Amino acid sequence: PAPPPTPPPKPETRIERLQRERMEREKNQEKVWDEVDQRWVVIGDKRTRSISPKPTASSAAPPVNDLLGGGGGPTSGGSRRASSAPPQQLEQVGAKVKGIKLDASNAIGKSAAVAAGVHQRIKDMEDAQAKAKQELIDRESAKKREAVELDAVKSKLEPKLKAWCEEYGKKRQLRALLSSLDKVLWEDSGWKPVNLGDILDARKARKAYFKASLKVHPDKTRDLDAEKRFIASRVFDALSQANAEFEAKG
């Protein structure tokens, strides 16, 4: 038997047709974000942009006014329609998004309140840029000073710390480091000297190691001066390596 005939397509309802037309219009609209009015505005149609004549200075001025809320031409009306579309919807329909520059010319022809808002926004932007630039300069200067200071500290303290953590070219064991730790730490570190005989027991050695690690941990010494931070860093690394070997041997 012959297959049943294909039913005719369901006629498009008025709501469906309006939705389809709206989506097609939005897909071909070119929009920019208006910094003054804080909304999206339509500046043209992608389909006619390739054949439109290049705008002159005089012909380009009215759209700028329309973008910022002035004028009452077709572009201004389109701006009102596009202002309700959120950025997420514009991305979904494939609209091309551009940014616009905000300067003193945007206040021309505006009301006193709008002009004051534009100038205040420009001032805030300039202040924020100047602050960010100065903060960057200060950070770079601080890094350079810290590097110079660290080199001086390293040349002064490295021999003493190397003699503490090494013996005849070999790394010293954990108990030996802990029992002589008071010889390399700064005076007000708060560390109480430990005798070698008191940490012969493995549990006591671990307990002393945890106490020492807390004294020189980077999170505990970040606010100290460069010399103390350098000592703490070297001591923390040496104790960590010695403890790893201590635990490996059991």
Side-chain angles (χ1 to χ4, degrees), residues 77-229:
S79 301
R80 299 188 189 96
R81 291 192 298 270
S83 62
S84 60
Q88 295 83 354
Q89 182 178 351
L90 296 180
E91 295 177 359
Q92 293 175 0
V93 299
K96 186 176 181 180
V97 178
K98 292 184 178 180
I100 60 176
K101 184 178 180 181
L102 181 64
D103 53 32
S105 63
N106 299 134
I108 299 176
K110 306 301 176 195
S111 64
V114 173
V118 171
H119 290 302
Q120 183 61 43
R121 182 66 179 272
I122 294 173
K123 182 179 182 303
D124 293 343
M125 291 170 58
E126 292 175 348
D127 292 344
Q129 292 172 355
K131 181 180 178 181
K133 183 178 180 180
Q134 187 60 44
E135 288 177 351
L136 179 60
I137 294 175
D138 294 342
R139 286 196 300 270
E140 293 299 325
S141 300
K143 287 181 180 179
K144 292 180 180 179
R145 290 195 302 269
E146 186 176 355
V148 173
E149 190 176 7
L150 184 61
D151 289 339
V153 169
K154 182 177 180 180
S155 61
K156 175 185 176 182
L157 299 175
E158 186 67 26
K160 180 180 180 180
L161 290 169
K162 186 175 182 180
W164 167 74
C165 65
E166 294 183 7
E167 187 174 16
Y168 303 110
K170 295 182 179 180
K171 300 292 184 181
R172 300 181 70 183
Q173 294 182 356
L174 179 63
R175 291 185 176 90
L177 295 178
L178 291 171
S179 62
S180 59
L181 183 57
D182 57 298
K183 303 296 190 299
V184 294
L185 290 183
W186 53 97
E187 292 183 359
D188 57 343
S189 64
W191 172 255
K192 296 180 180 180
V194 176
N195 294 323
L196 183 59
D198 295 335
I199 53 177
L200 292 178
D201 182 75
R203 291 176 298 178
K204 293 183 178 180
R206 291 189 183 95
K207 185 177 180 180
Y209 163 73
F210 288 130
K211 288 184 177 180
S213 296
L214 289 177
K215 289 291 182 182
V216 295
H217 195 279
D219 292 341
K220 301 289 186 179
T221 59
R222 63 179 59 182
D223 296 329
L224 300 179
D225 58 55
E227 185 170 321
K228 293 177 181 178
R229 290 200 312 270

Side-chain angles (χ1 to χ4, degrees), residues 66-79:
D66 291 339
L67 292 178
L68 300 176
T75 305
S76 177
S79 301

